[in-house]
Amino acid sequence: MQEISLIKYSPNLHLQLLERWLTSEDLMHGWGMPIFKIEDIAPWTEDPTRAILMVQNQKDGKIVGFVNFYQWDKENAKASRGTLIDPKYQNQGFGKAAIDGSNKYAFEEMKLKKIELYVEADNERSRHMTEKLGYTFDRFDPTKQRYYYYMERK
């Protein structure tokens, strides 16, 4: 598995990367979302129910993606999570490392009891990885064409 660090998002350091990724049709298709408008990205990052962690390759220090915890319900200790890895770094183990590392961060630092996520029906690779990493299948939404999963703190 790749050696990574998770770094808290900083607008001065990371906004341009998010702008590149969140305006990519291919990447947003993987999230099941339309592309972002540039002017909407900075406010999106400031949502108080969101925590963004940048995924840094420890070998060369490059930021290779990010993990987005959103709909963070502090009272009930749960949040949803999305992971995005730059296409140059996909299929190299960074996604798995980011999910493993962010699970630990969520349970230990954010004090979550439950992480929820969805995977687009046509994203077989992400579904396989989600299941392999121990997430529990919750349901399939035929209208949205999404599989929903969760992981609870042990």
Side-chain angles (χ1 to χ4, degrees):
M1 183 171 6
Q2 292 288 349
E3 295 292 321
I4 61 142
S5 298
L6 294 173
I7 300 165
K8 288 185 180 178
Y9 168 78
S10 167
N12 295 335
L13 298 174
H14 307 122
L15 182 59
Q16 286 185 328
L17 286 169
L18 289 187
E19 288 175 347
R20 187 176 75 206
W21 294 328
L22 296 174
T23 58
S24 163
E25 284 190 40
D26 287 340
L27 292 173
M28 289 300 91
H29 173 75
W31 272 12
M33 296 178 60
I35 63 171
F36 280 68
K37 294 177 185 171
I38 291 283
E39 63 270 17
D40 294 338
I41 295 173
W44 178 83
T45 67
E46 297 164 3
D47 178 344
T49 68
R50 183 177 312 285
I52 301 171
L53 302 171
M54 305 308 288
V55 180
Q56 182 180 46
N57 181 353
Q58 285 188 348
K59 288 182 184 175
D60 62 11
K62 292 188 191 253
I63 302 296
V64 301
F66 72 98
V67 176
N68 169 42
F69 288 100
Y70 61 99
Q71 296 175 344
W72 183 3
D73 177 350
K74 294 178 184 178
E75 185 176 313
N76 292 305
K78 69 178 183 176
S80 295
R81 192 200 64 232
T83 305
L84 188 148
I85 301 298
D86 187 288
K88 292 188 295 195
Y89 300 98
Q90 291 179 3
N91 301 314
Q92 299 175 38
F94 288 107
K96 182 180 186 310
I99 292 170
D100 278 344
S102 67
N103 286 346
K104 184 177 178 182
Y105 181 89
F107 292 133
E108 293 178 8
E109 302 297 323
M110 296 172 69
K111 306 297 185 204
L112 294 183
K113 293 179 184 171
K114 186 175 187 180
I115 302 169
E116 300 172 324
L117 61 88
Y118 68 83
V119 178
E120 293 298 302
D122 63 355
N123 195 339
E124 292 286 332
R125 184 174 60 217
S126 289
R127 281 187 37 228
H128 176 73
M129 185 184 341
T130 297
E131 292 167 3
K132 188 175 177 181
L133 290 171
Y135 278 79
T136 302
F137 173 74
D138 185 20
R139 69 190 185 284
F140 176 74
D141 182 330
T143 304
K144 293 184 178 180
Q145 289 292 296
R146 291 179 176 164
Y147 290 86
Y148 289 83
Y149 295 87
Y150 67 92
M151 178 179 280
E152 294 181 308
R153 184 178 190 151
K154 296 175 183 166

